[in-house]
Amino acid sequence: MRKELEEAYGFLFEKELLDEIVENGTIKTASAGDKIIEIGEYVTGMPLLIKGAIKILREDNDGDELLLYFLERGDTCAMTLSCCLGETKSEIRAVAETDTTFIMIPISKMEEWTAKYKSWRNFVFESYHSRLSEMLDAIDAIAFLNMDERLMRYLRDKAKINRDETIHSTHQQIAYDMHTSRVVISRLLKKLELDKKISLQRNQIKVIDL
Amino acid sequence: MRKELEEAYGFLFEKELLDEIVENGTIKTASAGDKIIEIGEYVTGMPLLIKGAIKILREDNDGDELLLYFLERGDTCAMTLSCCLGETKSEIRAVAETDTTFIMIPISKMEEWTAKYKSWRNFVFESYHSRLSEMLDAIDAIAFLNMDERLMRYLRDKAKINRDETIHSTHQQIAYDMHTSRVVISRLLKKLELDKKISLQRNQIKVIDL
DNA sequence: CCTATGCAGTAACATGAGTTACAGAGTGAA
DNA sequence: TTCACTCTGTAACTCATGTTACTGCATAGG
């Protein structure tokens, strides 16, 4: 655990804190597509992402989803964090976007470290700041952009997160993430292909110039 | 300042912290409609709301607005807070919804108190938690609700925040807050009136049953 | 090789929301 | 009282998005 931890967080945390994390944390893994936290579940700990990416989703009354943002190495889930401290239920769903490794920190340590380590406090505040920014970006996208622009944004983000210009998704999966219907996505993707911004094959979308 | 501070925050903070707040904070007031923070401005301090209410808005590229949420007595602006710590520019606009009184805390003290007072830490985390929740509510509204449901939600919130079942706004003002057009709001308000949920007069809307 | 299934393409239509335009009512200042 | 201005009501239209329905192709598993 030590090595991965240092690679992802070594420059952030002092030695003693890293020691404590190794001592108290437990390594967890999840495969692409695995559900990590479900809405309404009590949160048992806080994840420090070591490898891979996680997508954070909100759900409406009909059970349909909306992607809020992605988490990457070095990130933690401020939403989870927030839930831990308040000991409330999760308001979001977290799903592994790729194969993922993270360290689970038990809630009990969080309050302690917040008092003890300045670097931990800064990390926590920095996380909140990042997550608030990403929520704002999500709001901007939903409130101010049309579907075609949102779709381009989605494809860009997805390619970046997966470090792969070819996106391996069906139109239906994209529609779920964006809280719209498959037909709409197919229509817009086809338009993007005609504009030479992407190329389409079955189960994959290659980003050319977005 | 002491008296108002104790009324709004006495049950949260210990005596020494209250002393420090009185010593370092400065009382500010704003009249309904006054701009308190503008997008892109550097944030000079963190406001503790004593009296009144503030609305927090996001802006699109055309300069049009979208109401995110309201702040009330006992609240602080986590967004501001987040900006303070990161020393970045404000990502939102804050406008006094009613006549408002608040205490400005200089940035310099915030980091210090976070280390020193557990109650302050809890307050800050609690604020982040509330604000994240409110952002989620805002996202739910925009992404999952139709205009008529959003409008009902807006009217309910507005009546609650102002502690007044009669809302003193023009249709145009509501349209700005909701990032839509006046005609749309007029149309929907008229429908709500026909459903006996509100009654309409010039410059005011009386909530009957929402 | 054949067939069931999932995926993508597309047309035709429904609907909510935004836009333009205009009329009439309310209000305040001269 | 009159005039100018703001606010509201409403019609008629456009447009983006969502829905339904059907097609044919790709692929995997027998």
Side-chain angles (χ1 to χ4, degrees):
Chain A
M1 175 178 351
R2 184 86 203 192
K3 189 171 149 286
E4 292 93 334
L5 182 62
E6 293 214 346
E7 271 174 26
Y9 296 90
F11 64 101
L12 272 179
F13 300 148
E14 54 255 65
K15 188 175 168 308
E16 300 83 59
L17 178 51
L18 290 171
D19 289 341
E20 288 218 48
I21 293 173
V22 170
E23 198 175 317
N24 294 285
T26 47
I27 285 266
K28 304 255 180 186
T29 58
S31 307
D34 285 1
K35 206 178 288 177
I36 296 173
I37 299 170
E38 181 53 278
I39 296 168
E41 272 180 23
Y42 280 96
V43 177
T44 61
M46 169 177 162
L48 296 181
L49 245 173
I50 298 290
K51 208 196 88 203
I54 295 176
K55 61 180 180 183
I56 305 296
L57 304 156
R58 183 76 168 157
E59 195 186 72
D60 72 5
N61 294 327
D62 303 332
D64 295 325
E65 304 186 328
L66 174 70
L67 172 67
L68 296 181
Y69 52 81
F70 292 104
L71 298 177
E72 287 183 283
R73 185 171 104 161
D75 288 335
T76 188
C77 184
M79 213 72 79
T80 304
L81 208 149
S82 177
C83 292
C84 289
L85 295 164
E87 301 200 22
T88 53
K89 297 172 184 173
S90 176
E91 310 206 60
I92 48 87
R93 174 178 302 143
V95 175
E97 168 73 14
T98 62
D99 291 349
T100 301
T101 309
F102 53 94
I103 300 177
M104 262 323 223
I105 310 292
I107 302 185
S108 55
K109 288 291 155 186
M110 295 183 38
E111 164 68 19
E112 187 188 320
W113 294 349
T114 308
K116 202 159 150 193
Y117 299 107
K118 184 173 174 189
S119 64
W120 180 257
R121 276 203 304 278
N122 286 342
F123 173 67
V124 168
F125 285 128
E126 180 54 40
S127 297
Y128 269 119
H129 183 61
S130 308
R131 245 39 74 200
L132 277 173
S133 289
E134 273 160 334
M135 297 273 278
L136 283 177
D137 286 346
I139 287 177
D140 286 352
I142 309 166
F144 303 145
L145 300 184
N146 289 343
M147 262 305 172
D148 52 350
E149 297 170 297
R150 278 182 60 202
L151 180 57
M152 289 200 285
R153 207 183 80 108
Y154 175 88
L155 295 173
R156 274 196 298 268
D157 285 355
K158 188 111 173 170
K160 178 161 160 281
I161 279 286
N162 288 293
R163 292 181 180 73
D164 186 348
E165 293 294 285
T166 302
I167 294 158
H168 302 268
S169 304
T170 65
H171 298 184
Q172 183 62 71
Q173 287 166 337
I174 297 174
Y176 282 141
D177 280 351
M178 294 184 58
H179 194 259
T180 180
S181 79
R182 199 271 307 167
V183 180
V184 171
I185 296 296
S186 292
R187 189 154 63 202
L188 294 174
L189 282 174
K190 184 50 71 181
K191 209 177 290 171
L192 288 177
E193 189 181 39
L194 290 176
D195 291 351
K196 312 264 183 232
K197 293 182 192 296
I198 58 174
S199 74
L200 297 173
Q201 283 93 45
R202 188 185 172 87
N203 292 320
Q204 41 180 282
I205 299 161
K206 186 157 178 219
V207 173
I208 298 174
D209 174 38
L210 280 180
Chain B
M1 173 175 355
R2 185 84 203 194
K3 188 170 150 286
E4 293 93 333
L5 182 62
E6 292 213 345
E7 271 174 26
Y9 296 90
F11 64 100
L12 272 179
F13 299 147
E14 56 255 63
K15 188 176 167 306
E16 299 83 59
L17 178 50
L18 291 171
D19 289 341
E20 288 219 48
I21 293 174
V22 170
E23 197 176 316
N24 294 286
T26 48
I27 286 267
K28 304 255 180 185
T29 59
S31 307
D34 284 1
K35 205 177 288 176
I36 296 174
I37 299 170
E38 180 53 277
I39 296 169
E41 272 181 24
Y42 280 96
V43 176
T44 61
M46 169 175 161
L48 296 179
L49 244 173
I50 298 289
K51 208 196 87 203
I54 294 176
K55 62 180 180 182
I56 305 296
L57 305 156
R58 183 75 169 160
E59 195 185 73
D60 72 5
N61 294 327
D62 303 332
D64 295 326
E65 304 186 329
L66 174 69
L67 173 67
L68 297 180
Y69 52 80
F70 292 105
L71 298 177
E72 287 183 284
R73 184 172 104 160
D75 288 335
T76 188
C77 184
M79 213 72 77
T80 303
L81 208 149
S82 177
C83 292
C84 289
L85 294 165
E87 302 199 20
T88 53
K89 297 173 185 174
S90 176
E91 310 207 59
I92 49 86
R93 174 178 302 143
V95 175
E97 168 73 13
T98 63
D99 291 349
T100 302
T101 309
F102 53 94
I103 299 176
M104 262 321 222
I105 310 292
I107 303 184
S108 54
K109 288 292 156 186
M110 296 185 36
E111 163 69 18
E112 187 187 321
W113 294 349
T114 308
K116 201 158 152 194
Y117 298 107
K118 186 176 172 186
S119 64
W120 179 258
R121 274 203 304 277
N122 287 342
F123 173 68
V124 168
F125 284 128
E126 181 54 40
S127 297
Y128 269 118
H129 182 61
S130 309
R131 244 41 72 200
L132 276 173
S133 288
E134 274 161 334
M135 296 274 279
L136 283 177
D137 286 346
I139 287 177
D140 286 352
I142 310 168
F144 303 145
L145 300 183
N146 289 342
M147 261 304 172
D148 53 350
E149 297 170 297
R150 278 182 62 201
L151 179 57
M152 289 199 285
R153 207 182 81 107
Y154 175 88
L155 295 174
R156 276 196 298 269
D157 285 355
K158 187 110 173 171
K160 178 161 160 281
I161 279 286
N162 288 293
R163 292 181 181 72
D164 187 348
E165 292 294 285
T166 303
I167 293 157
H168 303 269
S169 304
T170 66
H171 300 184
Q172 183 63 70
Q173 287 166 338
I174 297 174
Y176 282 141
D177 279 351
M178 294 184 59
H179 195 257
T180 179
S181 79
R182 200 270 309 166
V183 179
V184 170
I185 295 297
S186 293
R187 190 154 64 201
L188 294 174
L189 282 174
K190 184 49 72 181
K191 209 178 287 169
L192 288 176
E193 189 181 39
L194 290 176
D195 292 350
K196 311 261 183 236
K197 293 182 193 294
I198 58 174
S199 74
L200 296 174
Q201 284 92 45
R202 188 184 172 87
N203 291 321
Q204 41 181 279
I205 300 161
K206 189 161 175 213
V207 173
I208 297 173
D209 174 37
L210 278 181

